Amino acid sequence: MSSMYVLKKEGFEAGKIKQALDMLLVDRKNEFRELSNMIMPKTLSEPIKNWEQFVMNFCLDVNEAFKTWSGDMELNQNSPQKALTILRQLSRGKVNMTQLSHLLNISFDLAEEFKEIYRRI
């Protein structure tokens, strides 16, 4: 896993993914780094190539999970596990819900912006 990661989501084309992600990174690189510090393993012997795609995939998972949490999507068999994983990854080292909700908001916003940029390409 540590050598390469590629963003793969149903309904997205590889070329457009890269272009949309590159455009988003121009203004949102700091948010990507903040999230990567929370969700990427610190003990890897070599860094993950395409770490931005790893972070974006996480953001899209948060976005999808929110639709489940808000009742816009039906629960599937992986929904509880995905929700717990998201919350545990983002909660590490946090002392209150405000810090957690800040990271959830960043994740959600990045996913929404990515989808909008992707749609416009």
Side-chain angles (χ1 to χ4, degrees):
M1 174 178 140
S2 63
S3 64
M4 182 133 177
Y5 185 83
V6 178
L7 176 63
K8 294 181 181 174
K9 281 288 186 185
E10 213 171 292
F12 290 108
E13 299 171 22
K16 287 175 71 173
I17 287 173
K18 177 156 179 29
Q19 188 178 1
L21 190 55
D22 288 344
M23 291 173 73
L24 183 59
L25 283 166
V26 169
D27 293 327
R28 300 297 220 131
K29 191 83 163 179
N30 290 335
E31 287 88 345
F32 273 83
R33 284 197 182 116
E34 184 175 355
L35 286 174
S36 75
N37 288 334
M38 292 307 303
I39 64 174
M40 307 264 291
K42 310 279 187 276
T43 58
L44 293 175
S45 59
E46 59 183 90
I48 295 176
K49 293 180 185 168
N50 301 329
W51 63 271
E52 298 94 344
Q53 293 185 18
F54 185 90
V55 171
M56 180 48 60
N57 194 50
F58 179 83
C59 293
L60 291 168
D61 284 345
V62 169
N63 191 276
E64 185 178 301
F66 179 75
K67 290 177 184 174
T68 303
W69 301 338
S70 65
D72 289 343
M73 263 178 45
E74 292 295 318
L75 285 173
N76 65 42
Q77 71 184 49
N78 295 328
S79 294
Q81 184 66 31
K82 184 183 278 190
L84 182 59
T85 301
I86 288 168
L87 294 175
R88 287 192 68 175
Q89 283 181 301
L90 293 179
S91 296
R92 249 182 276 145
K94 301 298 173 254
V95 295
N96 59 47
M97 288 296 290
T98 303
Q99 293 174 335
L100 173 61
S101 64
H102 171 71
L103 293 172
L104 286 168
N105 283 333
I106 289 172
S107 301
F108 182 83
D109 290 344
L110 286 175
E112 287 295 308
E113 286 182 43
F114 172 80
K115 290 191 299 186
E116 184 61 28
I117 292 169
Y118 182 91
R119 186 184 65 76
R120 290 181 181 195
I121 294 177

